[in-house]
Amino acid sequence: MRRPRLLAGLAGLALTAGLLAGALPAGAAEPAPADAAPARTAAAPSYTWKNVRIDGGGFVPGLVFNRTEKNLLYARTDIGGAYRWDQAGSAWVPLLDHIGWDDWGHTGVVSLASDSADPDRVYAAVGTYTNDWDPGSGAVLRSADRGATWQRADLPFKLGGNMPGRGMGERLAVDPHRNSVLYLGAPSGNGLWRSTDSGATWSKVTSFTNPGGYRQDPSDTSGYNSDEQGIVWVTFDESTGSGTGAGATTTKTIYVGVGDKENAVYRSTDAGATWTRLAGQPTGYLAHKGVLDAGNGYLYLAYSDTAGPYDGGKGQVWRYATATGEWKNISPVAEADTYHGFSGLTLDRQRPGTVMVSAYSSWWPDTQIFRSTDSGSTWTRAWDYSSYPDRTDRYTMDVSSVPWLTWDATPTPPERTPKLGWMTEALEIDPFDSDRMLYGTGATVYGTTELTRWDRDAKFTIRPMVKGLEETAVLDLVSPPSGAPLISALGDIGGFRHTDLGAVPPMMFTSPNFTSTTSLDYAETAPDTLVRSGHLDGGPRIAFSTDNGANWFAGQEPAGVTGGGTVAAAADGGRFVWSPDGTAGVHATTGHGTSWTAAIGIPAGATVESDRVDPKTFYGFEGGTFYASTDGGLTFTARATGLPAEGDVRFKAVPGRKGDIWLAGGAPGTAYGLWHSTDGGATFTRLPGVDQADAIGFGKAAPNAAYPALYSSAKIGGVRGIFRSTDAGATWVRVNDDAHQWGWTGATITGDPRVYGRVYVATNGRGILYGDTSETGGGDGGGGTDPGTPPAGACEVTYEVVNQWQGGFQADVTVTNTSTTAWNGWNLGWTFAAGQTVGQMWNATAGQTGTGVTARNAAWNGTVAPGGSASFGFTGGWTGTNPVPAAFTLGGARCSAG
């Protein structure tokens, strides 16, 4: 199921973060000194990125086949981007991972169009919300290489990939003959738009005067359900144009669906110059889809009384004869007998007259799919009652590849598990293969390659066809030091214990099965003990495990709980602290939640975490104030103040180090960054140079390093990304790149305590990504081997002071191999003429005796091919002057200056 997704605290992401300023009271967080050096970032090590496999997990509202090239198929999701089907690999390929933090709304895809005249071209209309939840405007992305790369045309209005009505469509369409012409149906009263230059620029079609005023709930003050649906689909009649390319004629007849129950369908017969409401059309319903069989001259329409995708109590299916204007009600169910609307609608292009439609909003006992082979005169159903409550199904469900789709449920007939589906608004028969059908649900993409067995009363098999399409919103992640490498908290499907990152888990968390898990924790010194909290109508909303998350049991909950909130486990697993949503406030328990004691000294709604060493120490944060408890969470006292009071704030305690805490968060225009405490939260120091930070996590220390590797979703040096530090935050490297950004990544992050360099990244719609480094042995500053004495003139050095302040500086150094043989390690030396000193060095190991300095390669950058280079940097100190060294030697041989 996909619920409306709101990213709290993102209203101003595009603004520049301000520094914490002003006088601070005693015990307050300490700002960075005004003359402190900014955080240094080194060149990114090589990382590879993969999804932790779940397969699906969210609503797929649209599937689009190309009409002229076999096996060219796209999928759109409401918050998780777009995908292209890879036939050879039987998997989906993500296409919008390049979307960055500031443009996170563009991960919501309201419509897709594949160009039938030029199959290399594909278009995506993007934008997640039309209300103020999304600060950005919509855009149309265009690609000439099937989504490998994109160009963007910004629109002067918003689009709603996760708004009501997102299963209607497609709103975006390409003229099948003059493919430089596209149409886009806009929401929010913005009307119909057209491009005549292949999506590069757009203008409003002023001759189309009905902007579509239907609103799901006009009384909704948030703007979510009260927004106008607008123009919801565009369909070309390809029989009214000819040719492709330079000699093509523009398609003359175009049909448009409008969010208006009295005036739902319009037509132009002069290539969009003028428009007319189709006479005699049914009223009282919204036309979710309009699909044209140009050969037979029929426009099929699926109607519902609401916009969906969750609701719809009545519906109809109609057929319009394009030549005569005749309307015919071909509904497979009499209106009086419907309890659902119709939406999913498709034709078999190989078998004219075969049409299928879905009862998208039939939640109970199951969705229904109808099929006709005589243009809608008669219909058969995917399932029927034999003798209520028993059912006879035309199909079998094989979910062995994604076994969690059963939800571990044991429903009472006539319900089945797994369900045929729900929210089934995307339904498509392959235009080249009558046996192949796919449809989207609220959790997956299902399909069959045996569809025509339906017509022979022979059972056909439906399977998940969702590999590679990862569409979960990730709310929390933990990587314990033993047991499963990763345990996840997810929206809508609860979460999983991931024993193999490359395999689909057999089942989500059950007993209880939260609709969304909001918080996870494990006992640091007893990692088989876990606790999770989450949302569940009627409760319970907290659960415990004593076998590393393999099995769970529910705890009791105090009065006033309405949601999961945050939860923390003591280091030894002997007690827990819970800060649920609602009026209950923070509570503590020993054992496994059979009784709870209200904590004092900490406000309701505070975020809670545990110290990773002392089992009686817990921490909390709320409204800019940090709290601590030393009696197992029964009483808290305020410690540091002056921390970010606005925006989202997340903090964690470092494993193995009592009282060592990192805190990330804030809001643009206010305090926003990364803070560190080593005294249990009594004082915090803000890290210089970290412009913004939203999540912090820890992983295995680098080789030869004692402190855990830090990982953060942050903005450092003006660049947004996923960053790693191996020296307690003194220096950082960005480990992702511009092709791997995944929109918003601020919910949570963690390293792996067993694998150096591995980081798990949470996204809001693209699932869990994990990155592994190719660094030999790992590490950003490990030791190397002495290369001996290279030949004279075999090296060139560039030394640059990149930043300098009173008493300190940073320098970048590059050493190039100008010889004809590869180096297997290097050791660069120089002398400081003015008595400067080396402080922290990254990507090399420093040594200094008096004024003489050496820099030895790290474990991963010692091999340098002829013509290749290695780079490193360092911070240093100076007094008086800071001249550049006059000479450099490599293994005793002098290098030339670069």
Side-chain angles (χ1 to χ4, degrees):
M1 180 192 309
R2 172 68 62 213
R3 290 179 171 80
R5 180 78 53 218
L6 171 61
L7 298 178
L10 297 184
L13 284 179
L15 302 178
T16 301
L19 296 176
L20 181 65
L24 299 173
E30 179 186 346
D35 59 352
R40 287 291 299 142
T41 59
S46 177
Y47 260 72
T48 57
W49 294 95
K50 298 179 181 178
N51 268 107
V52 176
R53 279 193 67 186
I54 295 169
D55 284 16
F59 181 34
V60 179
L63 296 164
V64 176
F65 277 98
N66 187 277
R67 292 276 298 278
T68 58
E69 181 173 319
K70 191 175 183 179
N71 295 322
L72 183 53
L73 167 64
Y74 296 90
R76 63 178 172 94
T77 70
D78 51 6
I79 63 172
Y83 294 80
R84 184 185 65 247
W85 178 254
D86 172 26
Q87 183 68 17
S90 296
W92 296 95
V93 177
L95 302 179
L96 300 183
D97 284 358
H98 69 279
I99 291 174
W101 180 277
D102 290 340
D103 297 318
W104 66 264
H106 290 175
T107 61
V109 184
V110 72
S111 192
L112 271 174
S114 180
D115 188 340
S116 59
D118 181 357
D120 285 341
R121 294 185 177 274
V122 61
Y123 300 86
V126 297
T128 301
Y129 298 105
T130 61
N131 61 357
D132 59 8
W133 295 350
D134 184 345
S137 293
V140 176
L141 308 181
R142 63 191 188 276
S143 173
D145 52 15
R146 307 183 183 221
T149 60
W150 297 88
Q151 293 177 288
R152 185 173 98 186
D154 291 322
L155 299 170
F157 50 83
K158 296 183 179 185
L159 294 175
N162 198 33
M163 295 291 287
R166 58 192 180 274
M168 296 195 282
E170 293 291 320
R171 295 174 182 258
L172 185 62
V174 184
D175 189 317
H177 299 290
R178 182 69 64 84
N179 66 335
S180 60
V181 175
L182 293 89
Y183 283 84
L184 171 66
S188 315
N190 289 300
L192 182 66
W193 289 67
R194 177 169 52 212
S195 172
T196 58
D197 54 8
S198 300
T201 61
W202 293 83
S203 59
K204 189 172 184 178
V205 181
T206 56
S207 60
F208 196 96
T209 57
N210 185 351
Y214 172 81
R215 295 184 289 169
Q216 192 93 328
D217 179 5
S219 67
D220 179 12
T221 57
S222 75
Y224 182 76
N225 286 300
S226 57
D227 188 42
E228 296 175 353
Q229 290 296 311
I231 313 302
V232 297
W233 52 263
V234 179
T235 297
F236 287 91
D237 184 346
E238 64 264 29
S239 68
T240 63
S242 64
T244 58
T249 62
T250 304
T251 302
K252 298 297 183 184
T253 299
I254 313 165
Y255 295 89
V256 170
V258 180
D260 181 337
K261 288 188 174 183
E262 303 305 309
N263 309 282
V265 187
Y266 288 76
R267 178 173 63 184
S268 173
T269 58
D270 52 13
T274 61
W275 300 85
T276 305
R277 177 189 183 274
L278 284 186
Q281 66 181 272
T283 59
Y285 291 95
L286 298 172
H288 275 224
K289 300 282 198 308
V291 179
L292 182 69
D293 177 356
N296 285 326
Y298 288 137
L299 176 68
Y300 294 91
L301 298 116
Y303 288 89
S304 177
D305 58 350
T306 69
Y310 311 109
D311 52 3
K314 293 291 180 181
Q316 295 179 348
V317 181
W318 284 77
R319 187 183 73 200
Y320 174 73
T322 60
T324 66
E326 177 194 21
W327 287 91
K328 185 175 181 62
N329 186 338
I330 58 168
S331 301
V333 179
E335 182 183 33
D337 296 329
T338 60
Y339 56 92
H340 53 73
F342 295 99
S343 183
L345 180 64
T346 187
L347 306 175
D348 186 340
R349 303 290 176 179
Q350 299 294 316
R351 298 186 177 196
T354 296
V355 58
M356 297 180 71
V357 67
S358 71
Y360 78 96
S361 55
S362 176
W363 287 79
W364 189 93
D366 209 341
T367 199
Q368 184 62 275
I369 300 176
F370 303 90
R371 179 175 172 89
S372 173
T373 57
D374 54 12
S375 301
S377 296
T378 60
W379 298 84
T380 51
R381 307 169 187 239
W383 60 270
D384 286 284
Y385 288 113
S386 49
S387 177
Y388 186 87
D390 296 327
R391 283 168 47 174
T392 300
D393 298 338
R394 293 182 179 271
Y395 60 90
T396 59
M397 299 287 289
D398 176 6
V399 298
S400 56
S401 64
V402 190
W404 60 262
L405 285 167
T406 67
W407 254 260
D408 198 33
T410 54
T412 301
E415 282 193 279
R416 294 280 177 87
T417 189
K419 282 184 176 251
L420 182 60
W422 61 93
M423 298 164 62
T424 49
E425 296 210 67
L427 175 68
E428 294 294 334
I429 300 172
D430 187 334
F432 295 92
D433 184 354
S434 298
D435 272 317
R436 185 186 188 193
M437 175 193 72
L438 289 88
Y439 64 97
T441 78
T444 193
V445 176
Y446 279 126
T448 183
T449 56
E450 306 168 331
L451 181 59
T452 59
R453 292 172 65 87
W454 182 317
D455 303 326
R456 304 193 298 272
D457 289 325
K459 285 202 172 185
F460 57 95
T461 301
I462 295 174
R463 295 181 174 88
M465 294 186 177
V466 73
K467 181 180 178 182
L469 195 159
E470 298 288 344
E471 199 199 351
T472 50
V474 186
L475 306 181
D476 203 0
L477 296 170
V478 296
S479 182
S482 62
L486 183 69
I487 300 174
S488 61
L490 306 176
D492 295 336
I493 58 173
F496 295 90
R497 181 176 186 260
H498 305 270
T499 58
D500 182 345
L501 304 179
V504 177
M507 192 53 56
M508 70 274 285
F509 301 143
T510 59
S511 302
N513 187 334
F514 298 150
T515 52
S516 293
T517 299
T518 58
S519 183
L520 272 172
D521 198 13
Y522 66 91
E524 187 65 45
T525 61
D528 281 349
T529 298
L530 288 101
V531 62
R532 61 184 168 97
S533 59
H535 301 322
L536 183 63
D537 293 342
R541 301 174 183 90
I542 193 161
F544 302 88
S545 173
T546 57
D547 58 6
N548 196 243
N551 297 281
W552 296 83
F553 54 91
Q556 301 297 314
E557 59 184 47
V561 175
T562 61
T566 57
V567 67
D572 63 357
R575 62 189 69 225
F576 304 88
V577 172
W578 185 21
S579 178
D581 297 339
T583 60
V586 177
H587 279 67
T589 185
T590 56
H592 296 109
T594 55
S595 64
W596 295 87
T597 301
I600 60 175
I602 187 170
T607 300
V608 294
E609 297 281 358
S610 66
D611 190 86
R612 310 313 284 181
V613 176
D614 185 347
K616 288 191 175 182
T617 297
F618 289 83
Y619 305 110
F621 178 86
E622 173 64 20
T625 300
F626 196 84
Y627 299 84
S629 169
T630 57
D631 60 2
L634 298 177
T635 58
F636 284 80
T637 57
R639 293 195 173 179
T641 59
L643 294 162
E646 298 181 27
D648 293 329
V649 174
R650 300 165 181 87
F651 70 93
K652 290 181 181 178
V654 179
R657 293 172 178 265
K658 182 179 178 181
D660 195 331
I661 302 155
W662 292 81
L663 182 145
T670 65
Y672 196 177
L674 184 63
W675 285 259
H676 186 206
S677 173
T678 57
D679 56 10
T683 60
F684 278 85
T685 299
R686 181 175 177 174
L687 263 70
V690 178
D691 308 323
Q692 302 173 359
D694 291 85
I696 185 71
F698 316 112
K700 184 177 181 179
N704 302 319
Y707 200 83
L710 303 178
Y711 298 93
S712 184
S713 175
K715 183 178 182 181
I716 299 176
V719 177
R720 258 285 170 186
I722 306 301
F723 288 87
R724 184 188 75 199
S725 174
T726 59
D727 52 14
T731 61
W732 296 86
V733 295
R734 185 186 181 203
V735 297
N736 70 323
D737 53 45
D738 288 350
H740 301 89
Q741 299 191 76
W742 315 294
W744 189 73
T745 56
T748 186
I749 194 170
T750 186
D752 191 308
R754 289 170 273 186
V755 181
Y756 168 63
R758 178 171 292 173
V759 57
Y760 302 99
V761 178
T763 75
N764 187 67
R766 267 287 284 127
I768 308 164
L769 278 300
Y770 72 100
D772 281 322
T773 180
S774 62
E775 298 161 89
T776 304
D780 288 342
T785 58
D786 194 317
T789 303
C795 50
E796 180 180 279
V797 175
T798 300
Y799 179 106
E800 180 183 11
V801 175
V802 295
N803 197 10
Q804 184 168 300
W805 62 98
Q806 185 60 45
F809 69 102
Q810 298 95 33
D812 284 348
V813 183
T814 298
V815 55
T816 300
N817 181 357
T818 58
S819 75
T820 58
T821 59
W823 296 344
N824 182 26
W826 47 267
N827 190 352
L828 185 70
W830 69 87
T831 299
F832 275 134
Q836 302 100 310
T837 58
V838 171
Q840 179 68 42
M841 184 174 285
W842 52 92
N843 299 337
T845 300
Q848 183 167 4
T849 302
T851 59
V853 179
T854 61
R856 187 186 298 269
N857 63 276
W860 55 271
N861 65 357
T863 300
V864 182
S869 299
S871 297
F872 62 95
F874 65 93
T875 57
W878 63 279
T879 57
T881 61
N882 184 26
V884 172
F888 297 86
T889 59
L890 191 70
R894 184 162 178 159
C895 299
S896 61

